[in-house]
């Protein structure tokens, strides 16, 4: 590679890295506790455990579950109900005045006895909800998500340009060499390069999936205005009828439509995951990875009849696949530990990159001052000589 090309790639790597470094550090620092969100919620006492029963009981009626939750807040409406695959004894009911109400009321209800267990902390408590908001949108909603997505794209550019620059560097040294006997700056440069190339594939995966996740709201809106709108064409222009169909029966209808799958969550009419006329019942598989891939079933909320069980389009499937890959929460504790270690390594990469840039700036300023002093000294010699001659 020619020196001109190297300088061009160096400029790309330098500025793409510098622009996104602070935000990537923030995402790494907030992402670390999110990897262990369940464990932290448990330590903070925010994880809900199903009550122990003296005798085993089958699941109760879901309508009774919803009624128990509504007794606490009669004026609010159910927005969602959900179940964790590993805790089928609990239904999580979310109540609110409307879809975009910020005063959500999450309520955990025993799926067997249909009695309220507790009102858990929203999003796992204040600490975890703050970490999640900072990681997802910087408390700025869609603009914040898109901004972080742009920072993610810059990270991908920085990774690719870093690999291009590392290729000629590798011809001079053995892989993984850290020249500890040389200057401090050179040692940290070697550490930065070594960690960067070791974590390259992981960074590409996490960076790319993070960018895809920031487009989630836009992809969902596109789906609603296109594929979903075509499915619901016959309801166009019709006022919603009273939602009199049993949620319990709607779930049973969904199970019959997709045998072998389980209910992950139910979106009520008027929410972003359904229509004004339907219960959106989202089913998934039972395996670690397939449990993150949803299949929607639309059941008429007035008649209780099945409307459709469409396959999700490829772009929503890509979004759903990107989420477990981004957080590494589909492979148990070993994968979580690997994700955490790679996250810490990335923090070191970003910190050393910032250190090297600051150090290089100081070195350049010192060199400029030395050169200026040298030039000034050389320029003073003739004047001094002329002064001696005059005397």
């Amino acid at each position: 590679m020619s020196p001109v090309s190297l300088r061009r790639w160096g400029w790309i790597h330098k500025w793409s890295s510098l622009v996104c470094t602070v935000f990537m550090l923030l995402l790494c620092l907030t992402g670390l506790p999110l990897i262990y969100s369940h464990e932290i919620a448990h330590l903070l006492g925010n994880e809900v455990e199903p009550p122990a029963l003296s005798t085993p009981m089958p699941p109760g009626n879901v309508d009774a579950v919803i009624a128990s939750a509504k007794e606490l807040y009669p004026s609010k409406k159910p927005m969602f109900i959900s179940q964790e695959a590993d805790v089928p004894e609990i239904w999580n009911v979310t109540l609110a005045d409307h879809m975009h109400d910020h005063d959500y009321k999450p309520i955990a209800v025993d799926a067997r006895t249909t009695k309220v267990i507790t009102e858990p902390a929203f999003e796992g408590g204040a600490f975890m909800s703050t970490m999640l908001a900072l990681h997802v949108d910087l408390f700025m909603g869609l603009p914040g998500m898109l901004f972080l997505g742009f920072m993610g794209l810059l990270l991908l550019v920085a990774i690719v340009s870093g690999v291009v620059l590392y290729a000629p560097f590798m011809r001079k040294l053995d892989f993984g060499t850290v020249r500890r006997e040389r200057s401090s700056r050179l040692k940290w440069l070697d550490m930065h390069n070594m960690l960067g190339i070791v974590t390259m594939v992981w960074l590409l995966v996490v960076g790319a999936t993070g960018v895809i996740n920031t487009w989630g709201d836009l992809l969902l809106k596109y789906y609603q205005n296109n594929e979903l709108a075509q499915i619901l064409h016959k309801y166009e222009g019709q006022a919603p009828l009273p939602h009199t169909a049993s949620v319990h029966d709607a779930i049973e209808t969904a199970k019959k439509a997709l045998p072998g799958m389980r209910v992950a969550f139910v979106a009520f009419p008027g929410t972003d995951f359904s229509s004004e006329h339907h219960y959106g019942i989202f089913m998934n598989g039972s395996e670690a990875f397939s449990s993150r891939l949803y299949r929607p079933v639309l059941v008429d909320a007035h008649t209780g009849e099945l409307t459709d069980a469409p396959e999700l389009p490829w772009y929503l499937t890509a979004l759903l696949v990107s989420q477990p890959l981004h957080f590494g929460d589909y492979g148990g504790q070993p994968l979580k530990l690997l994700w955490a270690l790679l996250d810490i390594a990335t923090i070191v990469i970003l910190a050393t990159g910032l250190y090297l840039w600051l150090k290089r700036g100081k070195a350049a300023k010192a060199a400029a001052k030395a050169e200026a002093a040298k030039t000034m000294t050389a320029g003073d010699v003739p004047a001094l000589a002329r002064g001696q001659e005059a005397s």
Side-chain angles (χ1 to χ4, degrees), residues 66-225:
I66 297 168
S68 293
K70 276 184 62 64
E71 286 180 3
L72 297 180
Y73 299 97
S75 64
K76 293 186 178 292
K77 300 179 293 186
M79 297 286 114
F80 303 98
I81 61 170
S82 63
Q83 254 185 347
E84 297 289 341
D86 54 348
V87 193
E89 301 89 356
I90 295 176
W91 277 109
N92 300 294
V93 182
T94 302
L95 303 176
D97 291 326
H98 52 81
M99 177 58 201
H100 301 290
D101 182 12
H102 294 292
D103 189 22
Y104 282 104
K105 298 297 182 184
I107 300 165
V109 183
D110 193 315
R112 303 156 297 179
T113 65
T114 72
K115 303 298 182 184
V116 171
I117 300 171
T118 186
E119 291 186 60
F122 188 65
E123 298 289 2
F127 172 73
M128 293 306 299
S129 60
T130 300
M131 293 297 101
L132 182 61
L134 286 172
H135 193 84
V136 171
D137 60 14
L138 301 174
F139 291 101
M140 293 165 52
L142 182 59
M145 293 176 70
L146 296 178
F147 175 78
L148 290 178
F150 178 65
M151 293 298 106
L153 287 174
L154 288 180
L155 173 66
L156 298 179
V157 172
I159 294 169
V160 172
S161 57
V163 172
V164 172
L165 293 171
Y166 191 67
F169 177 81
M170 278 293 292
R171 299 192 191 106
K172 302 175 184 178
L173 295 170
D174 293 333
F175 176 78
T177 298
V178 177
R179 291 167 287 184
R180 301 179 186 278
E181 70 283 355
R182 304 286 292 276
S183 66
S184 173
R185 183 180 181 279
L186 198 59
K187 179 183 71 175
W188 284 111
L189 175 63
D190 290 345
M191 182 71 72
H192 178 83
N193 290 336
M194 186 266 290
L195 286 175
I197 207 68
V198 166
T199 60
M200 176 191 65
V201 174
W202 181 82
L203 276 171
L204 283 171
V205 169
V206 172
T209 54
V211 171
I212 293 171
N213 286 337
T214 63
W215 301 337
D217 284 2
L218 296 179
L219 293 176
L220 184 59
K221 290 295 183 186
Y222 181 83
Y223 171 69
Q224 290 171 331
N225 294 328

Side-chain angles (χ1 to χ4, degrees), residues 228 231-232 234-235 240 243 266-271 273-281 297-303 305-308:
L228 190 58
I231 294 170
L232 302 175
K234 68 177 184 179
Y235 292 90
H243 308 143
V266 178
F268 283 74
T271 60
F273 295 91
S274 61
S275 78
E276 293 288 344
H277 307 270
H278 292 86
Y279 298 125
I281 302 170
V297 179
L298 295 173
V299 177
D300 191 299
H302 179 66
T303 65
E305 295 177 356
L306 176 68
T307 297
D308 203 349

Side-chain angles (χ1 to χ4, degrees), residues 247-304:
V247 178
H248 184 90
D249 292 344
I251 289 174
E252 293 303 314
T253 299
K255 288 179 179 178
K256 290 176 183 176
L258 298 176
M261 301 187 77
R262 58 170 294 275
V263 177
F265 71 94
V266 178
F268 283 74
T271 60
D272 286 344
F273 295 91
S274 61
S275 78
E276 293 288 344
H277 307 270
H278 292 86
Y279 298 125
I281 302 170
F282 286 76
M283 316 285 284
N284 56 20
S286 57
E287 297 180 359
F289 201 75
S290 65
S291 67
R292 304 301 294 266
L293 298 176
Y294 299 105
R295 176 84 177 269
V297 179
L298 295 173
V299 177
D300 191 299
H302 179 66
T303 65

